[in-house]
Amino acid sequence: MNIEQAEKYLIHTYNRSVTFDHGEGMYLVDDGGKKYLDMGAGIAVSALGYSNEEYKQALKDQIDKLIHVSNLYFTEPMAKAAKYICQASGMDRVFFTNSGAEAIEGALKLARKYAYQKNQDSKGEIIAMEHSFHGRTMGALSVTGTKHYREPFEPLIGGVSFAQYNDLDSVKELVTPDTCAIVLEGLQGEGGIHPAEPEFMKGLRRLCDEQDILLILDEIQCGMGRTGKMFSYQHYGIRPDIVTMAKALGCGVPVGAFAAVDKAARAMLPGDHGTTYGGNPLACAAVSKVFEIFEEKRLLDHVDQIAPYLKEQLVELQKRHSCIAEIRGKGLMQGMELTVPAARIVARAMENGLVLISAGEKVIRIVPPLIVEKEHIDEMCQILDKILE
Ligand SMILES: *Cc1c(COP(=O)(O)O)cnc(C)c1O
């Protein structure tokens, strides 16, 4: 493909170099026929890898039947997908969106409406975390804890303050009678792969219960089995009030959702929120099929079995290379903090047929399709050994 031609017509928000043409299992193939092992899964999206036959067939069948009708009507795929999400998440009701950022927007609106219903003068304050990432739309950006993402686009929505992740006291200090929600990731992704401490999560749940604040967990990246549980909060035995999901929810078809417990969900009434595409039959056919394949293939068990091997091999790699400062993460969401710029390693990996992604300046984020096997982890480590020399 003519890259110059493509660059000419695209707004330059990304620095791209490779043109992918197709994929199979754990591998992507570029337009020159070169094969790449994919340990990034299109940013934690393609949990089933590429070209899964059952998934493709479900989409083809749905395309033949019905793609879109709008949210003015019921469809069978939407009802089915909503039930799967509630059963898997422990939430009571779902609203479908087209992306992660939109799921966050909806969650924030729901929290504000819940507070407004209790007190029309509520300032609807929201506590978010430093180093968090919740998306690029104005609302999602307002709760994203990276200043250089936010600053050029200010003024954003008001009433947002930032606490330190894993520091319960720093959250408590920010709580006021106007606090309507606390929003955080179950495991910080973009911000550099920082897992939550169980006591922090449990403490937040208690705090929210005491003050009737809604606890919003952003499971867009760490959800859908990536950490070994369907949703990361399930490691801590807590139930949030609102959960956002996207990325691997549709495994490639753009779809997101926010789900809520009944007491919160009931705050949204007809006319309060909407979307034209959200949860259309094609997107929802993908969601249902993803849940079915997870079950059939016992993907959560597979993550539990394979993730310790990934961790072990990364720790071995660290022993051999002094430029690796730390390995941290949970399940198949691992971060490798480097003493050198991550972008350089990502570029060298590409040259060597390995797709990696970074999370911030210094962290390589390893978020492979959940179907990854030992042989792929070995292949990645061999390539990394060569590059890190
Ligand atoms: C990717 C991501 C988002 C934003 O999702 P988009 O689909 O890109 O809008 C929000 N939160 C987290 C934790 C994410 O990783």
Side-chain angles (χ1 to χ4, degrees), residues 18-33:
V18 176
T19 305
F20 284 124
D21 183 69
H22 60 279
E24 184 69 46
M26 286 291 298
Y27 294 88
L28 280 167
V29 180
D30 72 14
D31 58 348

Side-chain angles (χ1 to χ4, degrees), residues 131 133 185 187-194 221 333 359-360 363 365:
H131 306 297
F133 181 85
E185 293 150 271
L187 192 171
Q188 288 190 324
E190 267 341 283
I193 311 294
H194 298 282
Q221 188 162 164
M333 187 167 174
V363 179
R365 155 172 43 171

